Amino acid sequence: MKALKSTLLAGLALSSQPVWAAGAPELDMGATIGSLLLVLVLIVFLAWLLRRMKLPGVSGGENGLQIVRQVVVGQRERIVLVQVGDEQLLIGVTPQNISMLTKLETPLPVSAGAGNGEFAQQLGKLLKRQ
């Protein structure tokens, strides 16, 4: 075993080419771009799979909890109207605290396009046109 190691070391020391240059692969742009596309397709597929699995916290709105409206009252403070089943709760949200302000006796009507997800709906319409 020692003889094999010493023979290999002597062969490396006497070779005229550096060790790193002997097996350096050529850069192939096609393979690089193909690998990049494969990774991007894999990321898109995994995102689609996560949405299809409907894990808690990944998908929203279908678990009985929905933000109906929200009003910004400060730089990081807002008042949020949340629909929980048949009830609506008015909640105050700050960076340090979340507290229930009141429970509404007569719930406000929930409009599908107002406030919640408006940007997402507009983007979806634009993407369907193309």
Side-chain angles (χ1 to χ4, degrees):
M1 185 73 167
K2 286 185 179 183
L4 180 62
K5 282 184 183 178
S6 62
T7 307
L8 286 175
L9 288 175
L12 288 176
L14 294 176
S15 69
S16 61
Q17 294 182 353
V19 175
W20 55 269
E26 294 290 323
L27 289 178
D28 185 14
M29 285 304 265
T32 303
I33 292 173
S35 299
L36 177 65
L37 288 175
L38 179 69
V39 168
L40 290 175
V41 167
L42 183 65
I43 289 171
V44 169
F45 172 73
L46 289 176
W48 174 81
L49 188 63
L50 275 175
R51 290 192 80 182
R52 294 282 294 169
M53 290 175 62
K54 297 189 181 190
L55 296 174
V58 176
S59 62
E62 295 151 6
N63 55 2
L65 185 67
Q66 178 183 9
I67 296 176
V68 178
R69 294 192 182 118
Q70 59 181 328
V71 177
V72 178
V73 293
Q75 189 173 12
R76 291 182 163 186
E77 297 82 17
R78 44 183 51 115
I79 297 173
V80 181
L81 181 62
V82 178
Q83 177 89 28
V84 181
D86 295 333
E87 300 177 341
Q88 287 185 347
L89 306 172
L90 199 60
I91 298 174
V93 179
T94 66
Q96 293 84 19
N97 193 9
I98 299 174
S99 57
M100 187 175 89
L101 302 175
T102 187
K103 176 182 168 185
L104 296 182
E105 299 296 326
T106 57
L108 297 175
V110 178
S111 58
N116 190 19
E118 190 173 308
F119 176 76
Q121 290 175 355
Q122 293 294 328
L123 183 63
K125 287 178 186 177
L126 287 174
L127 289 176
K128 286 180 183 177
R129 285 185 197 168
Q130 295 177 351

